[in-house]
């Protein structure tokens, strides 16, 4: 089964080992992907444990489960950025320095798809944000930024969550700190005959639209 994070790898080769605790993500992007897969599979303990210690203090597994209630997370697009790989060398021996080249950091439909996707402002939706507002910038030397768009269904409607996230290294492991939501978050109208947002190459109606409920 292809991984929930829309990489080119299977779930048991990509995000599942991290979620199970068998290995630690070697970059901020890999951590972000595994956190998305954890939301898709309701592994909220993993999500809590991969926040920075500062953010964990204000959260619980119950809080995270409640925030995601009713949402079916089904596709992820990672936007090109300066981010994770440029600071991997600073992490130390506790994190692998080898980035798996098979992970596609730009999984997406073509530009025409985005041009035909009309997002409503987030203020007009009941979007349950998985992010906390940024309270202060990360000042640690080992940090990275990852921008992504996550797609989910709720109440038979399609939504997108577009976020730029801050990650830092604690005790040799990448951790999520906080993120900024972009203005295009919210309910979207996506044509069923367009290429699926997951990057499978199939039409949306033949792919992820089947997960709608």
């Amino acid at each position: 089964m292809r991984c929930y994070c829309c990489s080119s790898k299977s779930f048991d080769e990509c995000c599942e080992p991290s979620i199970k605790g068998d290995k630690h993500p070697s970059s901020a992007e890999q951590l972000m992907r595994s956190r998305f897969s954890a939301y898709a599979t309701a592994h909220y303990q993993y999500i809590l444990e991969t926040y920075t210690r500062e953010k964990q203090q204000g959260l619980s597994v119950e809080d995270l489960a409640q925030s995601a209630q009713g949402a079916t997370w089904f596709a992820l697009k990672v936007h090109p950025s300066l981010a994770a790989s440029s600071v991997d060398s600073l992490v130390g021996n506790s994190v692998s320095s080898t980035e798996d080249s098979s992970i596609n950091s730009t999984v997406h439909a073509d530009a025409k798809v985005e041009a035909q996707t009309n997002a409503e402002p987030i203020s007009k939706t009941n979007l349950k944000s998985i992010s906390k507002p940024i309270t202060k910038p990360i000042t640690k030397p080992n940090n990275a930024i990852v921008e992504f768009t996550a797609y989910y269904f709720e109440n038979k409607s399609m939504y997108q969550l577009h976020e730029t996230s801050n990650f830092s290294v604690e005790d040799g492991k990448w951790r999520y700190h906080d993120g900024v939501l972009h203005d295009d978050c919210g309910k979207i109208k996506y044509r069923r005959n367009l290429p699926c947002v997951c990057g499978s190459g199939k039409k949306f109606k033949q792919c992820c639209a089947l997960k709608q409920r």
Side-chain angles (χ1 to χ4, degrees):
M1 185 188 90
R2 185 183 177 202
C3 192
Y4 295 92
C5 78
C6 300
S7 72
S8 60
K9 302 176 73 173
S10 64
F11 179 54
D12 61 359
E13 293 177 312
C14 188
C15 291
E16 187 176 36
S18 296
I19 293 172
K20 285 185 172 180
D22 295 336
K23 72 173 186 179
H24 300 299
S26 62
S27 70
E29 181 183 321
Q30 287 186 351
L31 175 60
M32 185 276 300
R33 288 180 175 276
S34 68
R35 284 170 58 86
F36 174 85
S37 292
Y39 268 101
T41 56
H43 284 84
Y44 301 114
Q45 183 64 42
Y46 176 78
I47 295 167
L48 179 62
E49 291 173 354
T50 52
Y51 273 96
T52 57
R53 285 188 293 270
E54 177 185 337
K55 294 299 181 180
Q56 284 185 39
Q57 295 176 7
L59 291 170
S60 68
V61 171
E62 292 73 22
D63 293 333
L64 296 169
Q66 180 64 34
S67 73
Q69 187 175 11
T72 300
W73 300 90
F74 67 90
L76 178 71
K77 176 173 70 176
V78 181
H79 303 280
S81 69
L82 301 174
S85 60
S86 63
V87 291
D88 280 345
S89 60
L90 300 175
V91 176
N93 295 330
S94 297
V95 176
S96 171
S97 60
T98 302
E99 185 77 24
D100 193 324
S101 60
S102 65
I103 289 184
N104 180 359
S105 65
T106 57
V107 176
H108 63 291
D110 63 28
K112 292 181 180 178
V113 173
E114 296 189 6
Q116 297 177 70
T117 301
N118 301 313
E120 297 179 0
I122 189 170
S123 60
K124 295 183 180 179
T125 74
N126 63 347
L127 177 66
K128 298 181 177 71
S129 171
I130 60 173
S131 305
K132 296 290 184 180
I134 291 181
T135 53
K136 62 180 180 179
I138 296 175
T139 57
K140 298 179 181 180
N142 295 343
N143 59 74
I145 295 171
V146 179
E147 181 183 352
F148 68 91
T149 300
Y151 299 92
Y152 67 101
F153 294 120
E154 186 173 4
N155 296 325
K156 298 184 178 180
S157 295
M158 182 175 172
Y159 293 81
Q160 67 180 20
L161 190 151
H162 183 188
E163 179 179 317
T164 297
S165 304
N166 293 311
F167 295 82
S168 64
V169 176
E170 289 185 345
D171 301 324
K173 301 173 186 177
W174 281 105
R175 293 289 181 259
Y176 171 77
H177 188 73
D178 58 14
V180 174
L181 295 175
H182 293 244
D183 291 340
D184 59 351
C185 290
K187 184 187 291 187
I188 61 175
K189 296 178 181 179
Y190 196 82
R191 297 181 184 178
R192 292 172 58 81
N193 286 322
L194 290 173
C196 190
V197 292
C198 75
S200 66
K202 298 179 181 179
K203 290 184 178 180
F204 180 56
K205 66 181 180 182
Q206 298 169 332
C207 193
C208 287
L210 300 175
K211 302 174 184 178
Q212 189 171 5
R213 62 182 183 181

